[in-house]
PDB file of all heavy atoms in Angstrom:
ATOM      1  N   TRP A 142      -2.642   4.061   2.496  1.00  0.00           N
ATOM      2  CA  TRP A 142      -3.001   2.803   1.897  1.00  0.00           C
ATOM      3  C   TRP A 142      -3.708   2.017   2.984  1.00  0.00           C
ATOM      4  O   TRP A 142      -3.174   1.170   3.621  1.00  0.00           O
ATOM      5  CB  TRP A 142      -1.822   2.112   1.329  1.00  0.00           C
ATOM      6  CG  TRP A 142      -1.090   2.914   0.335  1.00  0.00           C
ATOM      7  CD1 TRP A 142       0.022   3.641   0.487  1.00  0.00           C
ATOM      8  CD2 TRP A 142      -1.504   3.208  -0.987  1.00  0.00           C
ATOM      9  NE1 TRP A 142       0.371   4.404  -0.608  1.00  0.00           N
ATOM     10  CE2 TRP A 142      -0.595   4.129  -1.545  1.00  0.00           C
ATOM     11  CE3 TRP A 142      -2.546   2.828  -1.846  1.00  0.00           C
ATOM     12  CZ2 TRP A 142      -0.668   4.633  -2.865  1.00  0.00           C
ATOM     13  CZ3 TRP A 142      -2.646   3.275  -3.084  1.00  0.00           C
ATOM     14  CH2 TRP A 142      -1.756   4.200  -3.628  1.00  0.00           C
ATOM     15  N   ILE A 143      -5.045   2.282   3.144  1.00  0.00           N
ATOM     16  CA  ILE A 143      -5.789   1.796   4.293  1.00  0.00           C
ATOM     17  C   ILE A 143      -7.150   1.210   3.855  1.00  0.00           C
ATOM     18  O   ILE A 143      -7.895   0.761   4.776  1.00  0.00           O
ATOM     19  CB  ILE A 143      -6.012   2.950   5.352  1.00  0.00           C
ATOM     20  CG1 ILE A 143      -6.774   4.050   4.649  1.00  0.00           C
ATOM     21  CG2 ILE A 143      -4.679   3.359   5.917  1.00  0.00           C
ATOM     22  CD1 ILE A 143      -7.177   5.193   5.653  1.00  0.00           C
ATOM     23  N   GLU A 144      -7.504   1.262   2.602  1.00  0.00           N
ATOM     24  CA  GLU A 144      -8.843   0.851   2.262  1.00  0.00           C
ATOM     25  C   GLU A 144      -8.967  -0.639   1.932  1.00  0.00           C
ATOM     26  O   GLU A 144      -7.983  -1.288   1.475  1.00  0.00           O
ATOM     27  CB  GLU A 144      -9.284   1.656   0.969  1.00  0.00           C
ATOM     28  CG  GLU A 144      -9.386   3.108   1.240  1.00  0.00           C
ATOM     29  CD  GLU A 144      -9.727   3.947  -0.033  1.00  0.00           C
ATOM     30  OE1 GLU A 144      -9.872   3.282  -1.058  1.00  0.00           O
ATOM     31  OE2 GLU A 144      -9.842   5.116   0.099  1.00  0.00           O
ATOM     32  N   LEU A 145     -10.141  -1.180   2.170  1.00  0.00           N
ATOM     33  CA  LEU A 145     -10.441  -2.594   1.880  1.00  0.00           C
ATOM     34  C   LEU A 145     -11.508  -2.736   0.813  1.00  0.00           C
ATOM     35  O   LEU A 145     -12.318  -1.737   0.661  1.00  0.00           O
ATOM     36  CB  LEU A 145     -10.895  -3.319   3.189  1.00  0.00           C
ATOM     37  CG  LEU A 145      -9.932  -3.327   4.299  1.00  0.00           C
ATOM     38  CD1 LEU A 145     -10.576  -3.989   5.573  1.00  0.00           C
ATOM     39  CD2 LEU A 145      -8.679  -4.051   3.954  1.00  0.00           C
ATOM     40  N   PRO A 146     -11.520  -3.803   0.026  1.00  0.00           N
ATOM     41  CA  PRO A 146     -12.572  -3.967  -0.964  1.00  0.00           C
ATOM     42  C   PRO A 146     -13.982  -3.928  -0.382  1.00  0.00           C
ATOM     43  O   PRO A 146     -14.182  -4.408   0.737  1.00  0.00           O
ATOM     44  CB  PRO A 146     -12.241  -5.376  -1.556  1.00  0.00           C
ATOM     45  CG  PRO A 146     -10.822  -5.591  -1.224  1.00  0.00           C
ATOM     46  CD  PRO A 146     -10.603  -4.919   0.146  1.00  0.00           C
ATOM     47  N   THR A 147     -14.863  -3.281  -1.150  1.00  0.00           N
ATOM     48  CA  THR A 147     -16.323  -3.229  -0.695  1.00  0.00           C
ATOM     49  C   THR A 147     -17.175  -3.587  -1.868  1.00  0.00           C
ATOM     50  O   THR A 147     -16.933  -3.189  -2.970  1.00  0.00           O
ATOM     51  CB  THR A 147     -16.709  -1.804  -0.218  1.00  0.00           C
ATOM     52  OG1 THR A 147     -16.415  -0.861  -1.189  1.00  0.00           O
ATOM     53  CG2 THR A 147     -15.908  -1.424   1.071  1.00  0.00           C
ATOM     54  N   SER A 148     -18.155  -4.445  -1.652  1.00  0.00           N
ATOM     55  CA  SER A 148     -19.023  -4.923  -2.644  1.00  0.00           C
ATOM     56  C   SER A 148     -18.340  -5.494  -3.859  1.00  0.00           C
ATOM     57  O   SER A 148     -18.779  -5.320  -5.018  1.00  0.00           O
ATOM     58  CB  SER A 148     -19.989  -3.751  -3.095  1.00  0.00           C
ATOM     59  OG  SER A 148     -20.665  -3.210  -1.972  1.00  0.00           O
ATOM     60  N   GLY A 149     -17.170  -6.156  -3.638  1.00  0.00           N
ATOM     61  CA  GLY A 149     -16.477  -6.746  -4.708  1.00  0.00           C
ATOM     62  C   GLY A 149     -15.629  -5.835  -5.542  1.00  0.00           C
ATOM     63  O   GLY A 149     -15.019  -6.299  -6.524  1.00  0.00           O
ATOM     64  N   GLU A 150     -15.570  -4.515  -5.232  1.00  0.00           N
ATOM     65  CA  GLU A 150     -14.838  -3.545  -6.017  1.00  0.00           C
ATOM     66  C   GLU A 150     -13.500  -3.219  -5.319  1.00  0.00           C
ATOM     67  O   GLU A 150     -13.472  -3.100  -4.149  1.00  0.00           O
ATOM     68  CB  GLU A 150     -15.659  -2.250  -6.147  1.00  0.00           C
ATOM     69  CG  GLU A 150     -16.932  -2.426  -6.944  1.00  0.00           C
ATOM     70  CD  GLU A 150     -17.687  -1.107  -7.145  1.00  0.00           C
ATOM     71  OE1 GLU A 150     -17.160  -0.081  -6.618  1.00  0.00           O
ATOM     72  OE2 GLU A 150     -18.738  -1.105  -7.803  1.00  0.00           O
ATOM     73  N   GLU A 151     -12.500  -3.124  -6.160  1.00  0.00           N
ATOM     74  CA  GLU A 151     -11.157  -2.812  -5.601  1.00  0.00           C
ATOM     75  C   GLU A 151     -11.108  -1.280  -5.245  1.00  0.00           C
ATOM     76  O   GLU A 151     -11.577  -0.476  -5.969  1.00  0.00           O
ATOM     77  CB  GLU A 151     -10.125  -3.057  -6.634  1.00  0.00           C
ATOM     78  CG  GLU A 151      -9.868  -4.593  -6.898  1.00  0.00           C
ATOM     79  CD  GLU A 151      -9.358  -5.228  -5.610  1.00  0.00           C
ATOM     80  OE1 GLU A 151      -8.528  -4.636  -4.884  1.00  0.00           O
ATOM     81  OE2 GLU A 151      -9.720  -6.391  -5.369  1.00  0.00           O
ATOM     82  N   PRO A 152     -10.580  -0.978  -4.070  1.00  0.00           N
ATOM     83  CA  PRO A 152     -10.437   0.416  -3.618  1.00  0.00           C
ATOM     84  C   PRO A 152      -9.380   1.166  -4.386  1.00  0.00           C
ATOM     85  O   PRO A 152      -8.506   0.569  -5.081  1.00  0.00           O
ATOM     86  CB  PRO A 152     -10.169   0.349  -2.158  1.00  0.00           C
ATOM     87  CG  PRO A 152      -9.420  -0.993  -2.020  1.00  0.00           C
ATOM     88  CD  PRO A 152     -10.050  -1.884  -3.055  1.00  0.00           C
ATOM     89  N   GLU A 153      -9.396   2.513  -4.344  1.00  0.00           N
ATOM     90  CA  GLU A 153      -8.394   3.334  -4.916  1.00  0.00           C
ATOM     91  C   GLU A 153      -7.117   3.291  -4.170  1.00  0.00           C
ATOM     92  O   GLU A 153      -6.033   3.464  -4.775  1.00  0.00           O
ATOM     93  CB  GLU A 153      -8.903   4.763  -5.072  1.00  0.00           C
ATOM     94  CG  GLU A 153     -10.037   4.957  -6.057  1.00  0.00           C
ATOM     95  CD  GLU A 153     -10.482   6.389  -6.135  1.00  0.00           C
ATOM     96  OE1 GLU A 153      -9.973   7.257  -5.306  1.00  0.00           O
ATOM     97  OE2 GLU A 153     -11.271   6.732  -7.011  1.00  0.00           O
ATOM     98  N   GLN A 154      -7.184   3.168  -2.835  1.00  0.00           N
ATOM     99  CA  GLN A 154      -6.005   3.175  -1.984  1.00  0.00           C
ATOM    100  C   GLN A 154      -5.964   1.859  -1.166  1.00  0.00           C
ATOM    101  O   GLN A 154      -6.203   1.920   0.061  1.00  0.00           O
ATOM    102  CB  GLN A 154      -5.963   4.419  -1.094  1.00  0.00           C
ATOM    103  CG  GLN A 154      -5.803   5.654  -1.908  1.00  0.00           C
ATOM    104  CD  GLN A 154      -5.966   6.865  -1.005  1.00  0.00           C
ATOM    105  OE1 GLN A 154      -7.039   7.276  -0.587  1.00  0.00           O
ATOM    106  NE2 GLN A 154      -4.830   7.496  -0.668  1.00  0.00           N
ATOM    107  N   PRO A 155      -5.748   0.727  -1.795  1.00  0.00           N
ATOM    108  CA  PRO A 155      -5.863  -0.568  -1.057  1.00  0.00           C
ATOM    109  C   PRO A 155      -4.755  -0.761  -0.060  1.00  0.00           C
ATOM    110  O   PRO A 155      -3.582  -0.408  -0.226  1.00  0.00           O
ATOM    111  CB  PRO A 155      -5.718  -1.588  -2.171  1.00  0.00           C
ATOM    112  CG  PRO A 155      -4.894  -0.886  -3.231  1.00  0.00           C
ATOM    113  CD  PRO A 155      -5.323   0.543  -3.164  1.00  0.00           C
ATOM    114  N   ALA A 156      -5.152  -1.282   1.112  1.00  0.00           N
ATOM    115  CA  ALA A 156      -4.194  -1.657   2.139  1.00  0.00           C
ATOM    116  C   ALA A 156      -3.411  -2.868   1.709  1.00  0.00           C
ATOM    117  O   ALA A 156      -4.001  -3.773   1.022  1.00  0.00           O
ATOM    118  CB  ALA A 156      -4.940  -1.890   3.434  1.00  0.00           C
ATOM    119  N   PRO A 157      -2.192  -3.037   2.134  1.00  0.00           N
ATOM    120  CA  PRO A 157      -1.420  -4.297   1.848  1.00  0.00           C
ATOM    121  C   PRO A 157      -2.115  -5.483   2.514  1.00  0.00           C
ATOM    122  O   PRO A 157      -2.525  -5.413   3.681  1.00  0.00           O
ATOM    123  CB  PRO A 157      -0.086  -4.086   2.519  1.00  0.00           C
ATOM    124  CG  PRO A 157       0.026  -2.518   2.625  1.00  0.00           C
ATOM    125  CD  PRO A 157      -1.369  -2.038   2.855  1.00  0.00           C
ATOM    126  N   VAL A 158      -2.323  -6.565   1.770  1.00  0.00           N
ATOM    127  CA  VAL A 158      -3.005  -7.764   2.251  1.00  0.00           C
ATOM    128  C   VAL A 158      -2.063  -8.978   2.017  1.00  0.00           C
ATOM    129  O   VAL A 158      -1.517  -9.162   0.935  1.00  0.00           O
ATOM    130  CB  VAL A 158      -4.349  -8.022   1.536  1.00  0.00           C
ATOM    131  CG1 VAL A 158      -4.939  -9.287   1.953  1.00  0.00           C
ATOM    132  CG2 VAL A 158      -5.300  -6.784   1.756  1.00  0.00           C
ATOM    133  N   LEU A 159      -1.949  -9.768   3.089  1.00  0.00           N
ATOM    134  CA  LEU A 159      -1.127 -11.007   2.982  1.00  0.00           C
ATOM    135  C   LEU A 159      -2.064 -12.198   3.063  1.00  0.00           C
ATOM    136  O   LEU A 159      -2.730 -12.376   4.062  1.00  0.00           O
ATOM    137  CB  LEU A 159      -0.129 -11.064   4.109  1.00  0.00           C
ATOM    138  CG  LEU A 159       0.705 -12.351   4.161  1.00  0.00           C
ATOM    139  CD1 LEU A 159       1.640 -12.447   2.986  1.00  0.00           C
ATOM    140  CD2 LEU A 159       1.575 -12.417   5.462  1.00  0.00           C
ATOM    141  N   LYS A 160      -2.212 -12.918   2.031  1.00  0.00           N
ATOM    142  CA  LYS A 160      -3.074 -14.138   1.972  1.00  0.00           C
ATOM    143  C   LYS A 160      -2.251 -15.346   2.571  1.00  0.00           C
ATOM    144  O   LYS A 160      -1.134 -15.511   2.207  1.00  0.00           O
ATOM    145  CB  LYS A 160      -3.580 -14.392   0.617  1.00  0.00           C
ATOM    146  CG  LYS A 160      -4.460 -13.328   0.069  1.00  0.00           C
ATOM    147  CD  LYS A 160      -5.064 -13.715  -1.257  1.00  0.00           C
ATOM    148  CE  LYS A 160      -5.964 -12.581  -1.822  1.00  0.00           C
ATOM    149  NZ  LYS A 160      -7.112 -12.312  -0.892  1.00  0.00           N
ATOM    150  N   LEU A 161      -2.955 -16.124   3.415  1.00  0.00           N
ATOM    151  CA  LEU A 161      -2.307 -17.209   4.106  1.00  0.00           C
ATOM    152  C   LEU A 161      -2.854 -18.551   3.682  1.00  0.00           C
ATOM    153  O   LEU A 161      -4.033 -18.657   3.396  1.00  0.00           O
ATOM    154  CB  LEU A 161      -2.479 -17.080   5.629  1.00  0.00           C
ATOM    155  CG  LEU A 161      -1.914 -15.748   6.242  1.00  0.00           C
ATOM    156  CD1 LEU A 161      -2.196 -15.823   7.758  1.00  0.00           C
ATOM    157  CD2 LEU A 161      -0.455 -15.645   5.962  1.00  0.00           C
ATOM    158  N   LYS A 162      -1.992 -19.513   3.623  1.00  0.00           N
ATOM    159  CA  LYS A 162      -2.465 -20.941   3.471  1.00  0.00           C
ATOM    160  C   LYS A 162      -2.997 -21.438   4.833  1.00  0.00           C
ATOM    161  O   LYS A 162      -2.737 -20.884   5.853  1.00  0.00           O
ATOM    162  CB  LYS A 162      -1.243 -21.808   3.047  1.00  0.00           C
ATOM    163  CG  LYS A 162      -0.620 -21.381   1.727  1.00  0.00           C
ATOM    164  CD  LYS A 162       0.581 -22.221   1.412  1.00  0.00           C
ATOM    165  CE  LYS A 162       1.212 -21.788   0.146  1.00  0.00           C
ATOM    166  NZ  LYS A 162       2.458 -22.610  -0.203  1.00  0.00           N
ATOM    167  N   ALA A 163      -3.719 -22.540   4.747  1.00  0.00           N
ATOM    168  CA  ALA A 163      -4.287 -23.110   5.990  1.00  0.00           C
ATOM    169  C   ALA A 163      -3.204 -23.606   6.883  1.00  0.00           C
ATOM    170  O   ALA A 163      -2.061 -23.954   6.420  1.00  0.00           O
ATOM    171  CB  ALA A 163      -5.229 -24.271   5.648  1.00  0.00           C
ATOM    172  N   ALA A 164      -3.455 -23.561   8.204  1.00  0.00           N
ATOM    173  CA  ALA A 164      -2.408 -23.935   9.159  1.00  0.00           C
ATOM    174  C   ALA A 164      -2.045 -25.423   9.024  1.00  0.00           C
ATOM    175  O   ALA A 164      -2.952 -26.246   8.658  1.00  0.00           O
ATOM    176  CB  ALA A 164      -2.913 -23.681  10.584  1.00  0.00           C
ATOM    177  N   ALA A 165      -0.906 -25.760   9.309  1.00  0.00           N
ATOM    178  CA  ALA A 165      -0.398 -27.130   9.327  1.00  0.00           C
ATOM    179  C   ALA A 165      -1.133 -27.899  10.439  1.00  0.00           C
ATOM    180  O   ALA A 165      -1.475 -27.319  11.479  1.00  0.00           O
ATOM    181  CB  ALA A 165       1.076 -27.316   9.492  1.00  0.00           C
ATOM    182  N   SER A 166      -1.373 -29.207  10.191  1.00  0.00           N
ATOM    183  CA  SER A 166      -2.138 -29.994  11.233  1.00  0.00           C
ATOM    184  C   SER A 166      -1.467 -30.020  12.571  1.00  0.00           C
ATOM    185  O   SER A 166      -2.102 -30.202  13.602  1.00  0.00           O
ATOM    186  CB  SER A 166      -2.369 -31.430  10.672  1.00  0.00           C
ATOM    187  OG  SER A 166      -1.092 -32.018  10.392  1.00  0.00           O
ATOM    188  N   ASN A 167      -0.150 -29.964  12.572  1.00  0.00           N
ATOM    189  CA  ASN A 167       0.579 -29.984  13.851  1.00  0.00           C
ATOM    190  C   ASN A 167       1.045 -28.627  14.336  1.00  0.00           C
ATOM    191  O   ASN A 167       1.915 -28.545  15.175  1.00  0.00           O
ATOM    192  CB  ASN A 167       1.805 -30.884  13.640  1.00  0.00           C
ATOM    193  CG  ASN A 167       2.781 -30.344  12.608  1.00  0.00           C
ATOM    194  OD1 ASN A 167       2.425 -29.517  11.784  1.00  0.00           O
ATOM    195  ND2 ASN A 167       4.020 -30.822  12.552  1.00  0.00           N
ATOM    196  N   ALA A 168       0.465 -27.581  13.760  1.00  0.00           N
ATOM    197  CA  ALA A 168       0.821 -26.188  14.153  1.00  0.00           C
ATOM    198  C   ALA A 168       0.475 -25.976  15.635  1.00  0.00           C
ATOM    199  O   ALA A 168      -0.566 -26.315  16.148  1.00  0.00           O
ATOM    200  CB  ALA A 168       0.172 -25.209  13.249  1.00  0.00           C
ATOM    201  N   ALA A 169       1.361 -25.234  16.309  1.00  0.00           N
ATOM    202  CA  ALA A 169       1.200 -24.871  17.677  1.00  0.00           C
ATOM    203  C   ALA A 169       0.198 -23.748  17.780  1.00  0.00           C
ATOM    204  O   ALA A 169       0.332 -22.775  16.971  1.00  0.00           O
ATOM    205  CB  ALA A 169       2.480 -24.517  18.373  1.00  0.00           C
ATOM    206  N   ARG A 170      -0.735 -23.829  18.694  1.00  0.00           N
ATOM    207  CA  ARG A 170      -1.692 -22.739  18.934  1.00  0.00           C
ATOM    208  C   ARG A 170      -0.949 -21.588  19.614  1.00  0.00           C
ATOM    209  O   ARG A 170      -0.041 -21.856  20.478  1.00  0.00           O
ATOM    210  CB  ARG A 170      -2.824 -23.196  19.712  1.00  0.00           C
ATOM    211  CG  ARG A 170      -3.710 -24.207  19.003  1.00  0.00           C
ATOM    212  CD  ARG A 170      -4.401 -23.589  17.834  1.00  0.00           C
ATOM    213  NE  ARG A 170      -4.708 -24.535  16.791  1.00  0.00           N
ATOM    214  CZ  ARG A 170      -5.430 -24.231  15.674  1.00  0.00           C
ATOM    215  NH1 ARG A 170      -5.814 -22.959  15.492  1.00  0.00           N
ATOM    216  NH2 ARG A 170      -5.586 -25.144  14.718  1.00  0.00           N
ATOM    217  N   PRO A 171      -1.330 -20.353  19.335  1.00  0.00           N
ATOM    218  CA  PRO A 171      -0.524 -19.267  19.964  1.00  0.00           C
ATOM    219  C   PRO A 171      -0.690 -19.213  21.408  1.00  0.00           C
ATOM    220  O   PRO A 171      -1.806 -19.427  21.952  1.00  0.00           O
ATOM    221  CB  PRO A 171      -1.199 -18.047  19.302  1.00  0.00           C
ATOM    222  CG  PRO A 171      -2.547 -18.477  18.736  1.00  0.00           C
ATOM    223  CD  PRO A 171      -2.310 -19.938  18.471  1.00  0.00           C
ATOM    224  N   GLY A 172       0.424 -18.924  22.119  1.00  0.00           N
ATOM    225  CA  GLY A 172       0.430 -18.765  23.551  1.00  0.00           C
ATOM    226  C   GLY A 172       0.300 -17.307  23.928  1.00  0.00           C
ATOM    227  O   GLY A 172      -0.034 -16.465  23.018  1.00  0.00           O
ATOM    228  N   PRO A 173       0.406 -16.934  25.161  1.00  0.00           N
ATOM    229  CA  PRO A 173       0.282 -15.554  25.588  1.00  0.00           C
ATOM    230  C   PRO A 173       1.243 -14.674  24.851  1.00  0.00           C
ATOM    231  O   PRO A 173       2.431 -14.999  24.746  1.00  0.00           O
ATOM    232  CB  PRO A 173       0.507 -15.598  27.109  1.00  0.00           C
ATOM    233  CG  PRO A 173       0.259 -17.032  27.510  1.00  0.00           C
ATOM    234  CD  PRO A 173       0.684 -17.854  26.306  1.00  0.00           C
ATOM    235  N   SER A 174       0.798 -13.524  24.417  1.00  0.00           N
ATOM    236  CA  SER A 174       1.630 -12.574  23.764  1.00  0.00           C
ATOM    237  C   SER A 174       2.643 -11.983  24.744  1.00  0.00           C
ATOM    238  O   SER A 174       2.391 -11.905  25.935  1.00  0.00           O
ATOM    239  CB  SER A 174       0.859 -11.447  23.109  1.00  0.00           C
ATOM    240  OG  SER A 174       1.631 -10.366  22.736  1.00  0.00           O
ATOM    241  N   THR A 175       3.743 -11.553  24.233  1.00  0.00           N
ATOM    242  CA  THR A 175       4.735 -10.892  25.107  1.00  0.00           C
ATOM    243  C   THR A 175       4.249  -9.596  25.676  1.00  0.00           C
ATOM    244  O   THR A 175       4.873  -9.017  26.555  1.00  0.00           O
ATOM    245  CB  THR A 175       6.091 -10.661  24.364  1.00  0.00           C
ATOM    246  OG1 THR A 175       5.791  -9.867  23.158  1.00  0.00           O
ATOM    247  CG2 THR A 175       6.704 -11.933  23.937  1.00  0.00           C
ATOM    248  N   THR A 176       3.115  -9.119  25.103  1.00  0.00           N
ATOM    249  CA  THR A 176       2.613  -7.839  25.626  1.00  0.00           C
ATOM    250  C   THR A 176       1.194  -8.047  26.136  1.00  0.00           C
ATOM    251  O   THR A 176       0.456  -7.075  26.360  1.00  0.00           O
ATOM    252  CB  THR A 176       2.606  -6.802  24.440  1.00  0.00           C
ATOM    253  OG1 THR A 176       1.838  -7.295  23.372  1.00  0.00           O
ATOM    254  CG2 THR A 176       4.007  -6.449  24.037  1.00  0.00           C
ATOM    255  N   ALA A 177       0.724  -9.294  26.296  1.00  0.00           N
ATOM    256  CA  ALA A 177      -0.705  -9.491  26.581  1.00  0.00           C
ATOM    257  C   ALA A 177      -1.018  -9.085  27.998  1.00  0.00           C
ATOM    258  O   ALA A 177      -2.141  -8.670  28.297  1.00  0.00           O
ATOM    259  CB  ALA A 177      -1.010 -11.048  26.478  1.00  0.00           C
ATOM    260  N   ALA A 178      -0.036  -9.239  28.955  1.00  0.00           N
ATOM    261  CA  ALA A 178      -0.348  -8.899  30.336  1.00  0.00           C
ATOM    262  C   ALA A 178       0.105  -7.518  30.722  1.00  0.00           C
ATOM    263  O   ALA A 178       0.739  -7.310  31.725  1.00  0.00           O
ATOM    264  CB  ALA A 178       0.342  -9.962  31.266  1.00  0.00           C
ATOM    265  N   SER A 179      -0.171  -6.564  29.908  1.00  0.00           N
ATOM    266  CA  SER A 179       0.338  -5.203  30.144  1.00  0.00           C
ATOM    267  C   SER A 179      -0.629  -4.464  31.130  1.00  0.00           C
ATOM    268  O   SER A 179      -0.234  -3.403  31.562  1.00  0.00           O
ATOM    269  CB  SER A 179       0.352  -4.412  28.835  1.00  0.00           C
ATOM    270  OG  SER A 179      -0.930  -4.495  28.187  1.00  0.00           O
ATOM    271  N   GLY A 180      -1.803  -4.998  31.485  1.00  0.00           N
ATOM    272  CA  GLY A 180      -2.625  -4.326  32.500  1.00  0.00           C
ATOM    273  C   GLY A 180      -3.414  -3.240  31.933  1.00  0.00           C
ATOM    274  O   GLY A 180      -3.517  -2.942  30.764  1.00  0.00           O
TER     275      GLY A 180
END
Side-chain angles (χ1 to χ4, degrees):
W142 303 100
I143 59 175
E144 298 178 357
L145 299 177
T147 56
S148 303
E150 296 183 0
E151 289 296 324
E153 291 181 350
Q154 294 174 285
V158 176
L159 177 65
K160 296 187 179 299
L161 302 179
K162 300 176 183 178
S166 58
N167 61 345
R170 294 292 153 176
S174 166
T175 56
T176 57
S179 56

